[in-house]
Amino acid sequence: MNKKNFCNTPAFRSILSAILCALVGILIGFVILLIINAEHAPKAISVILKNFMYYRNNGKKLYYLGQTLVKSVPLILCAIGVLFAYKSGLFNIGIAGQYTIGIGISLWAALAWHLPWIMCILLAVIAAALWASLAGLLKAFCNVNEVIAGIMLNWIGLYFVNILMSRETVMNITKSETFSIGSVSPQSLLPTLGLGKFFHDNEYVSIAIPVTILIAIMVNILLTKTIIGYELRATGLNKDAAKYAGMKDKKNIILTMAVSGAIAGLGASLFYLTDIQPWKTSSVVPGMGFNGIAVAFLGELNPIGAIFAGYFIQHITQGGSFIDTKYYNPQIADLISSIIIYSCAFMFIFKNHIGTFVEKFSKKSEGKE
């Protein structure tokens, strides 16, 4: 493949448009930093972009790299859940509620029932899949739009988990947060397999990271190399045509939502069973699910792309915790991440313009030759 053909491939245009989205977000974020405090803006944006590289000590660099990877896990898996449904023609905006259900069931299984980690994960995955199936059933048999059903189920799921977690057996009522899994049910913690040693003995680095990569590969294979994946994508492209071809459209819709929700539930359990943070009574649906939508598009609706996009967004967010709070609010990094996420809405415009530019450039080059 020559250089011209390579530059005109969908993969190249996708990568370049994703980079443009990121650069636009960073540039706008830097302008905002200049408006707030021009003197310290260059250092602040540098710190945000460096993240763990901010530290001179190699041990701390590795430790906070591990932290970033751990916190990327749920974001990546939520994105994969979103893109799985989207590839099948469904917009699973209820991924946030399914993620919340995964949190509640995994923590309840760990703190109330003291189950082994594998059982906590399985229960969370099954519960999230069943929760997502409700939206699938409404879509398949009542023609209820999955977006509307998903939004309603998000809030129902949040209130359900708040009620479930309000028991004294699992929550420190005075702090309104769940107990530490390590102190209550150590057998429920995810095994580390010694991976923490590679990140300066970071106790939160576990099998969650390799499992996430494995899930991304498996989903990619499922969607592109299997009969089930073909049927799901065909149903998404044209439900009537798929039905005419003998495919069970209703079953495929329910199955798609169930698998999508299961992946979100897996992300929730893999994150919270590390004991990196407790569940706190909340009046807001976790943003992880909604951020997963943007990460899915930033990763060009590709499971492998979602890994890099999810890590990048978390890298920026984590980097914000290192900026000097005398001059800036640490949430400025969240703002920059939000701008990058918002710019994803223009990703397809960037992609089309890149394609047009490449075609014009190729024609000019051929004319010169």
Side-chain angles (χ1 to χ4, degrees):
M1 182 182 291
N2 59 41
K3 186 177 179 181
K4 293 177 185 176
N5 290 335
F6 173 76
C7 292
N8 206 27
T9 59
F12 175 80
R13 282 186 277 170
S14 297
I15 293 169
L16 193 56
S17 58
I19 293 171
L20 280 174
C21 286
L23 290 176
V24 167
I26 293 168
L27 181 61
I28 296 173
F30 180 60
V31 171
I32 294 171
L33 289 171
L34 286 171
I35 293 170
I36 296 172
N37 189 310
E39 183 182 352
H40 296 90
K43 182 179 179 182
I45 195 69
S46 173
V47 167
I48 290 171
L49 293 175
K50 283 180 178 179
N51 187 359
F52 56 87
M53 295 299 292
Y54 168 77
Y55 290 102
R56 294 181 179 178
N57 182 283
N58 288 330
K60 284 190 174 181
K61 285 181 182 178
L62 289 173
Y63 184 89
Y64 284 102
L65 170 60
Q67 291 288 93
T68 306
L69 290 172
V70 171
K71 292 180 179 180
S72 299
V73 165
L75 188 56
I76 293 168
L77 288 174
C78 282
I80 293 174
V82 170
L83 70 87
F84 184 88
Y86 196 86
K87 287 282 189 180
S88 305
L90 297 169
F91 187 32
N92 187 10
I93 202 171
I95 206 88
Q98 295 142 28
Y99 177 77
T100 306
I101 291 294
I103 296 171
I105 298 303
S106 61
L107 287 179
W108 181 266
L111 298 172
W113 294 339
H114 309 294
L115 295 177
W117 63 272
I118 188 66
M119 289 302 298
C120 296
I121 290 175
L122 286 174
L123 288 174
V125 168
I126 292 169
L130 291 173
W131 195 258
S133 297
L134 294 175
L137 285 165
L138 290 170
K139 172 74 173 180
F141 293 100
C142 304
N143 201 28
V144 175
N145 189 287
E146 72 275 11
V147 173
I148 296 172
I151 291 171
M152 296 298 102
L153 287 169
N154 281 347
W155 291 101
I156 296 170
L158 173 67
Y159 298 139
F160 171 76
V161 171
N162 276 339
I163 294 169
L164 185 67
M165 294 291 101
S166 63
R167 307 296 177 88
E168 293 184 357
T169 52
V170 297
M171 177 171 279
N172 184 334
I173 304 300
T174 58
K175 293 183 177 180
S176 293
E177 63 180 37
T178 52
F179 294 113
S180 167
I181 299 174
S183 60
V184 175
S185 181
Q187 69 272 18
S188 301
L189 289 172
L190 285 180
T192 63
L193 299 182
L195 293 174
K197 293 179 181 178
F198 296 102
F199 299 93
H200 198 62
D201 294 325
N202 189 320
E203 66 273 29
Y204 304 116
V205 176
S206 67
I207 61 169
I209 297 169
V211 166
T212 299
I213 297 171
L214 182 62
I215 292 295
I217 295 170
M218 289 173 62
V219 169
N220 193 47
I221 293 171
L222 176 65
L223 285 172
T224 59
K225 305 294 183 182
T226 66
I227 295 173
I228 295 175
Y230 173 78
E231 288 191 359
L232 293 178
R233 287 186 289 113
T235 302
L237 290 171
N238 193 317
K239 185 175 69 173
D240 295 327
K243 185 178 180 180
Y244 182 76
M247 300 176 190
K248 297 178 180 179
D249 58 320
K250 289 182 171 61
K251 184 199 78 172
N252 287 341
I253 289 171
I254 298 167
L255 179 61
T256 296
M257 292 300 290
V259 174
S260 178
I263 296 171
L266 176 64
S269 59
L270 288 179
F271 182 64
Y272 277 84
L273 291 178
T274 61
D275 212 18
I276 193 169
Q277 73 179 47
W279 166 265
K280 296 183 180 182
T281 302
S282 177
S283 58
V284 180
V285 178
M288 193 68 69
F290 298 113
N291 291 343
I293 296 171
V295 169
F297 283 96
L298 187 62
E300 190 59 21
L301 297 172
N302 183 292
I304 308 303
I307 295 175
F308 295 101
Y311 174 80
F312 173 73
I313 293 297
Q314 188 55 50
H315 181 95
I316 296 293
T317 304
Q318 185 81 8
S321 63
F322 299 129
I323 66 173
D324 195 333
T325 54
K326 290 187 296 183
Y327 308 109
Y328 302 101
N329 188 311
Q331 291 180 336
I332 193 70
D334 294 326
L335 175 61
I336 294 173
S337 298
S338 300
I339 295 167
I340 294 170
I341 288 169
Y342 183 77
S343 67
C344 291
F346 304 98
M347 187 165 178
F348 294 108
I349 298 174
F350 289 155
K351 191 175 178 180
N352 290 333
H353 280 297
I354 289 168
T356 304
F357 174 77
V358 169
E359 287 177 8
K360 288 181 178 178
F361 181 77
S362 298
K363 288 178 181 178
K364 286 182 179 179
S365 298
E366 288 172 2
K368 289 179 180 179
E369 291 174 1

Short mmCIF file of all heavy atoms in Angstrom, two decimals, residues 320-356:
data_model
loop_
_atom_site.label_atom_id
_atom_site.label_comp_id
_atom_site.label_asym_id
_atom_site.label_seq_id
_atom_site.Cartn_x
_atom_site.Cartn_y
_atom_site.Cartn_z
N GLY A 320 -5.49 16.24 36.31
CA GLY A 320 -6.04 17.44 36.94
C GLY A 320 -5.87 17.47 38.44
O GLY A 320 -5.89 18.55 39.05
N SER A 321 -5.70 16.29 39.05
CA SER A 321 -5.55 16.25 40.50
C SER A 321 -4.18 16.76 40.95
O SER A 321 -3.95 16.97 42.14
CB SER A 321 -5.75 14.82 41.01
OG SER A 321 -4.76 13.95 40.48
N PHE A 322 -3.25 16.97 40.00
CA PHE A 322 -1.91 17.41 40.35
C PHE A 322 -1.68 18.91 40.17
O PHE A 322 -0.61 19.42 40.49
CB PHE A 322 -0.87 16.65 39.50
CG PHE A 322 -0.89 15.17 39.70
CD1 PHE A 322 -0.97 14.30 38.61
CD2 PHE A 322 -0.84 14.62 40.96
CE1 PHE A 322 -0.99 12.93 38.78
CE2 PHE A 322 -0.87 13.24 41.14
CZ PHE A 322 -0.94 12.40 40.05
N ILE A 323 -2.66 19.63 39.62
CA ILE A 323 -2.43 21.06 39.39
C ILE A 323 -2.49 21.83 40.71
O ILE A 323 -3.08 21.37 41.69
CB ILE A 323 -3.45 21.66 38.38
CG1 ILE A 323 -4.87 21.65 38.96
CG2 ILE A 323 -3.40 20.94 37.06
CD1 ILE A 323 -5.85 22.38 38.07
N ASP A 324 -1.88 22.98 40.72
CA ASP A 324 -1.79 23.81 41.92
C ASP A 324 -3.17 24.41 42.24
O ASP A 324 -3.69 25.24 41.49
CB ASP A 324 -0.78 24.93 41.70
CG ASP A 324 -0.36 25.59 43.01
OD1 ASP A 324 -1.15 25.57 43.97
OD2 ASP A 324 0.77 26.12 43.05
N THR A 325 -3.75 23.97 43.35
CA THR A 325 -5.11 24.42 43.71
C THR A 325 -5.15 25.86 44.20
O THR A 325 -6.23 26.40 44.42
CB THR A 325 -5.71 23.49 44.79
OG1 THR A 325 -4.80 23.41 45.91
CG2 THR A 325 -5.95 22.10 44.24
N LYS A 326 -3.97 26.48 44.37
CA LYS A 326 -3.96 27.91 44.73
C LYS A 326 -4.43 28.77 43.57
O LYS A 326 -4.97 29.87 43.77
CB LYS A 326 -2.55 28.34 45.15
CG LYS A 326 -2.08 27.77 46.48
CD LYS A 326 -0.77 28.39 46.90
CE LYS A 326 0.35 28.06 45.93
NZ LYS A 326 1.67 28.61 46.38
N TYR A 327 -4.24 28.26 42.37
CA TYR A 327 -4.57 29.05 41.19
C TYR A 327 -5.75 28.48 40.40
O TYR A 327 -6.44 29.21 39.69
CB TYR A 327 -3.35 29.13 40.27
CG TYR A 327 -2.10 29.60 40.98
CD1 TYR A 327 -1.05 28.73 41.24
CD2 TYR A 327 -1.98 30.93 41.40
CE1 TYR A 327 0.09 29.16 41.90
CE2 TYR A 327 -0.85 31.37 42.06
CZ TYR A 327 0.19 30.48 42.30
OH TYR A 327 1.31 30.91 42.96
N TYR A 328 -5.96 27.16 40.52
CA TYR A 328 -7.02 26.54 39.73
C TYR A 328 -7.77 25.50 40.56
O TYR A 328 -7.21 24.88 41.47
CB TYR A 328 -6.44 25.82 38.49
CG TYR A 328 -5.65 26.72 37.59
CD1 TYR A 328 -4.25 26.72 37.62
CD2 TYR A 328 -6.28 27.57 36.68
CE1 TYR A 328 -3.51 27.54 36.79
CE2 TYR A 328 -5.55 28.39 35.84
CZ TYR A 328 -4.17 28.38 35.90
OH TYR A 328 -3.44 29.19 35.07
N ASN A 329 -9.01 25.29 40.18
CA ASN A 329 -9.80 24.20 40.74
C ASN A 329 -9.38 22.91 40.03
O ASN A 329 -9.28 22.89 38.80
CB ASN A 329 -11.29 24.48 40.50
CG ASN A 329 -12.20 23.50 41.23
OD1 ASN A 329 -11.99 22.30 41.15
ND2 ASN A 329 -13.20 24.03 41.91
N PRO A 330 -9.15 21.81 40.78
CA PRO A 330 -8.74 20.55 40.14
C PRO A 330 -9.74 20.07 39.09
O PRO A 330 -9.38 19.30 38.18
CB PRO A 330 -8.67 19.57 41.31
CG PRO A 330 -8.48 20.42 42.52
CD PRO A 330 -9.19 21.70 42.24
N GLN A 331 -10.98 20.52 39.19
CA GLN A 331 -12.00 20.08 38.24
C GLN A 331 -11.81 20.68 36.85
O GLN A 331 -12.57 20.36 35.93
CB GLN A 331 -13.39 20.42 38.77
CG GLN A 331 -13.79 19.59 39.98
CD GLN A 331 -15.17 19.92 40.50
OE1 GLN A 331 -15.67 21.03 40.28
NE2 GLN A 331 -15.78 18.99 41.19
N ILE A 332 -10.79 21.53 36.70
CA ILE A 332 -10.51 22.09 35.39
C ILE A 332 -10.16 20.97 34.41
O ILE A 332 -10.46 21.04 33.21
CB ILE A 332 -9.36 23.13 35.45
CG1 ILE A 332 -9.28 23.94 34.14
CG2 ILE A 332 -8.03 22.47 35.74
CD1 ILE A 332 -10.42 24.88 33.92
N ALA A 333 -9.54 19.89 34.93
CA ALA A 333 -9.22 18.74 34.07
C ALA A 333 -10.50 18.05 33.60
O ALA A 333 -10.58 17.59 32.46
CB ALA A 333 -8.34 17.74 34.83
N ASP A 334 -11.50 17.99 34.49
CA ASP A 334 -12.80 17.44 34.08
C ASP A 334 -13.42 18.29 32.98
O ASP A 334 -14.07 17.77 32.07
CB ASP A 334 -13.75 17.37 35.28
CG ASP A 334 -13.28 16.38 36.34
OD1 ASP A 334 -12.70 15.36 35.94
OD2 ASP A 334 -13.49 16.62 37.53
N LEU A 335 -13.21 19.60 33.10
CA LEU A 335 -13.73 20.51 32.08
C LEU A 335 -13.08 20.24 30.73
O LEU A 335 -13.75 20.16 29.69
CB LEU A 335 -13.50 21.97 32.49
CG LEU A 335 -13.90 23.04 31.47
CD1 LEU A 335 -15.38 22.98 31.18
CD2 LEU A 335 -13.51 24.43 31.98
N ILE A 336 -11.75 20.07 30.74
CA ILE A 336 -11.04 19.78 29.50
C ILE A 336 -11.50 18.45 28.92
O ILE A 336 -11.72 18.32 27.70
CB ILE A 336 -9.52 19.78 29.74
CG1 ILE A 336 -9.05 21.19 30.12
CG2 ILE A 336 -8.76 19.28 28.51
CD1 ILE A 336 -7.60 21.27 30.54
N SER A 337 -11.67 17.45 29.79
CA SER A 337 -12.17 16.15 29.34
C SER A 337 -13.55 16.29 28.72
O SER A 337 -13.86 15.68 27.70
CB SER A 337 -12.23 15.16 30.52
OG SER A 337 -10.96 14.94 31.05
N SER A 338 -14.37 17.12 29.35
CA SER A 338 -15.74 17.34 28.85
C SER A 338 -15.72 17.99 27.48
O SER A 338 -16.53 17.65 26.61
CB SER A 338 -16.53 18.22 29.83
OG SER A 338 -16.61 17.61 31.10
N ILE A 339 -14.79 18.93 27.29
CA ILE A 339 -14.67 19.60 25.99
C ILE A 339 -14.24 18.60 24.92
O ILE A 339 -14.75 18.60 23.80
CB ILE A 339 -13.68 20.78 26.06
CG1 ILE A 339 -14.23 21.87 27.00
CG2 ILE A 339 -13.43 21.37 24.68
CD1 ILE A 339 -13.21 22.92 27.38
N ILE A 340 -13.28 17.73 25.28
CA ILE A 340 -12.84 16.69 24.35
C ILE A 340 -14.01 15.78 24.01
O ILE A 340 -14.24 15.42 22.84
CB ILE A 340 -11.67 15.87 24.95
CG1 ILE A 340 -10.43 16.75 25.11
CG2 ILE A 340 -11.36 14.66 24.08
CD1 ILE A 340 -9.32 16.10 25.90
N ILE A 341 -14.77 15.41 25.06
CA ILE A 341 -15.94 14.55 24.85
C ILE A 341 -16.96 15.24 23.96
O ILE A 341 -17.54 14.64 23.04
CB ILE A 341 -16.56 14.17 26.21
CG1 ILE A 341 -15.65 13.17 26.94
CG2 ILE A 341 -17.96 13.58 26.04
CD1 ILE A 341 -16.02 12.93 28.39
N TYR A 342 -17.18 16.53 24.21
CA TYR A 342 -18.14 17.29 23.40
C TYR A 342 -17.67 17.38 21.95
O TYR A 342 -18.48 17.31 21.02
CB TYR A 342 -18.32 18.69 23.98
CG TYR A 342 -19.35 19.52 23.25
CD1 TYR A 342 -20.71 19.31 23.46
CD2 TYR A 342 -18.96 20.52 22.36
CE1 TYR A 342 -21.65 20.06 22.78
CE2 TYR A 342 -19.89 21.27 21.67
CZ TYR A 342 -21.24 21.04 21.90
OH TYR A 342 -22.17 21.78 21.21
N SER A 343 -16.37 17.54 21.77
CA SER A 343 -15.83 17.65 20.41
C SER A 343 -16.00 16.35 19.63
O SER A 343 -15.92 16.35 18.39
CB SER A 343 -14.35 18.05 20.44
OG SER A 343 -13.55 17.03 20.98
N CYS A 344 -16.27 15.24 20.35
CA CYS A 344 -16.51 13.97 19.67
C CYS A 344 -17.76 14.05 18.79
O CYS A 344 -17.90 13.30 17.83
CB CYS A 344 -16.71 12.84 20.69
SG CYS A 344 -15.23 12.41 21.59
N ALA A 345 -18.67 14.96 19.16
CA ALA A 345 -19.88 15.14 18.36
C ALA A 345 -19.54 15.59 16.95
O ALA A 345 -20.30 15.37 16.00
CB ALA A 345 -20.80 16.15 19.04
N PHE A 346 -18.37 16.23 16.80
CA PHE A 346 -17.95 16.72 15.49
C PHE A 346 -16.96 15.79 14.82
O PHE A 346 -16.39 16.11 13.78
CB PHE A 346 -17.30 18.11 15.64
CG PHE A 346 -18.20 19.12 16.30
CD1 PHE A 346 -18.06 19.39 17.66
CD2 PHE A 346 -19.19 19.76 15.58
CE1 PHE A 346 -18.89 20.32 18.28
CE2 PHE A 346 -20.02 20.69 16.19
CZ PHE A 346 -19.87 20.96 17.54
N MET A 347 -16.77 14.61 15.40
CA MET A 347 -15.76 13.69 14.91
C MET A 347 -16.03 13.26 13.47
O MET A 347 -15.12 13.19 12.64
CB MET A 347 -15.68 12.46 15.81
CG MET A 347 -14.54 11.53 15.47
SD MET A 347 -14.24 10.36 16.79
CE MET A 347 -12.90 9.41 16.08
N PHE A 348 -17.30 12.98 13.17
CA PHE A 348 -17.63 12.53 11.83
C PHE A 348 -17.46 13.65 10.81
O PHE A 348 -17.14 13.41 9.65
CB PHE A 348 -19.05 11.97 11.80
CG PHE A 348 -19.21 10.72 12.60
CD1 PHE A 348 -19.90 10.73 13.80
CD2 PHE A 348 -18.63 9.53 12.18
CE1 PHE A 348 -20.03 9.58 14.55
CE2 PHE A 348 -18.76 8.37 12.92
CZ PHE A 348 -19.46 8.39 14.11
N ILE A 349 -17.66 14.91 11.27
CA ILE A 349 -17.42 16.06 10.39
C ILE A 349 -15.93 16.16 10.08
O ILE A 349 -15.53 16.36 8.93
CB ILE A 349 -17.92 17.37 11.05
CG1 ILE A 349 -19.43 17.29 11.27
CG2 ILE A 349 -17.57 18.58 10.20
CD1 ILE A 349 -20.00 18.46 12.04
N PHE A 350 -15.10 16.02 11.14
CA PHE A 350 -13.65 16.02 10.94
C PHE A 350 -13.24 14.92 9.96
O PHE A 350 -12.44 15.14 9.06
CB PHE A 350 -12.92 15.79 12.27
CG PHE A 350 -13.00 16.96 13.22
CD1 PHE A 350 -12.86 16.76 14.59
CD2 PHE A 350 -13.19 18.25 12.77
CE1 PHE A 350 -12.93 17.82 15.48
CE2 PHE A 350 -13.25 19.31 13.64
CZ PHE A 350 -13.13 19.10 14.99
N LYS A 351 -13.83 13.75 10.17
CA LYS A 351 -13.48 12.59 9.35
C LYS A 351 -13.79 12.84 7.88
O LYS A 351 -12.99 12.53 7.01
CB LYS A 351 -14.23 11.37 9.87
CG LYS A 351 -13.76 10.05 9.26
CD LYS A 351 -14.47 8.90 9.93
CE LYS A 351 -14.05 7.58 9.31
NZ LYS A 351 -14.73 6.44 9.95
N ASN A 352 -14.96 13.41 7.61
CA ASN A 352 -15.35 13.69 6.23
C ASN A 352 -14.45 14.75 5.59
O ASN A 352 -14.06 14.63 4.43
CB ASN A 352 -16.81 14.15 6.19
CG ASN A 352 -17.77 13.02 6.51
OD1 ASN A 352 -17.46 11.86 6.29
ND2 ASN A 352 -18.93 13.35 7.05
N HIS A 353 -14.13 15.79 6.39
CA HIS A 353 -13.27 16.85 5.86
C HIS A 353 -11.86 16.34 5.60
O HIS A 353 -11.21 16.76 4.64
CB HIS A 353 -13.23 18.04 6.84
CG HIS A 353 -14.43 18.93 6.72
ND1 HIS A 353 -14.72 19.63 5.58
CD2 HIS A 353 -15.41 19.22 7.61
CE1 HIS A 353 -15.84 20.33 5.75
NE2 HIS A 353 -16.28 20.09 6.98
N ILE A 354 -11.40 15.44 6.48
CA ILE A 354 -10.07 14.85 6.28
C ILE A 354 -10.06 14.06 4.97
O ILE A 354 -9.11 14.14 4.19
CB ILE A 354 -9.69 13.93 7.47
CG1 ILE A 354 -9.40 14.79 8.71
CG2 ILE A 354 -8.47 13.09 7.14
CD1 ILE A 354 -9.30 13.99 9.99
N GLY A 355 -11.14 13.29 4.75
CA GLY A 355 -11.24 12.51 3.52
C GLY A 355 -11.23 13.41 2.29
O GLY A 355 -10.54 13.12 1.29
N THR A 356 -11.98 14.51 2.35
CA THR A 356 -12.03 15.46 1.23
C THR A 356 -10.66 16.09 1.00
O THR A 356 -10.20 16.23 -0.15
CB THR A 356 -13.05 16.57 1.52
OG1 THR A 356 -14.32 15.98 1.78
CG2 THR A 356 -13.18 17.51 0.34
#
